[in-house]
């Protein structure tokens, strides 16, 4: 399954996400950014750890899907794309 073509931002799959300038990972699953702090859940922290600017969104999704049951593949893809888009819109994540 893939959400390509479902109206979500299709161009995101070839982007290389990384934390934006001024943002950094704190202790544990915390992200520090100029306007505040975000406490991530375990899944969010795992996604952010993969956002090194070297992996594409597609590679990040595949990495996450490889650790979970196949029947969750669509949900992992959908929620990862939504999570990355939210952080990008808040200028916490840069999608290059």
């Amino acid at each position: 399954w893939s959400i390509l073509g479902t109206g979500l931002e299709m161009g995101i799959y070839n982007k290389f996400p990384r934390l934006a300038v001024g943002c950094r990972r704190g202790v544990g699953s915390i992200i520090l950014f100029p306007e505040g702090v975000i406490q991530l859940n375990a899944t969010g922290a795992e996604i952010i750890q993969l956002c090194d600017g070297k992996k594409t969104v597609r590679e990040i999704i595949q990495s996450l899907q490889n650790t979970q049951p196949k029947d969750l593949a669509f949900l992992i893809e959908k929620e990862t794309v939504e999570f990355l888009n939210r952080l990008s819109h808040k200028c916490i994540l840069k999608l290059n």
Side-chain angles (χ1 to χ4, degrees), residues 2-84:
S2 176
I3 59 174
L4 283 173
T6 60
L8 293 174
E9 296 178 37
M10 291 174 43
I12 193 173
Y13 289 89
N14 296 319
K15 303 286 184 178
F16 295 85
R18 64 174 173 76
L19 288 176
V21 174
C23 300
R24 62 186 172 90
R25 289 191 344 213
V27 177
S29 56
I30 291 176
I31 295 181
L32 305 166
F33 61 105
E35 291 81 23
V37 175
I38 293 178
Q39 174 71 47
L40 300 172
N41 63 21
T43 304
E46 184 178 2
I47 293 169
I48 289 298
Q49 186 173 358
L50 294 169
C51 293
D52 58 8
K54 298 175 184 173
K55 294 176 201 67
T56 64
V57 170
R58 183 179 314 281
E59 292 169 327
I60 290 168
I61 290 168
Q62 289 171 343
S63 177
L64 295 166
Q65 288 172 332
N66 288 338
T67 65
Q68 300 297 320
K70 298 271 187 234
D71 61 332
L72 295 178
F74 176 79
L75 183 63
I76 290 167
E77 181 177 353
K78 178 181 177 292
E79 290 185 358
T80 300
V81 168
E82 289 172 354
F83 176 75
L84 295 175

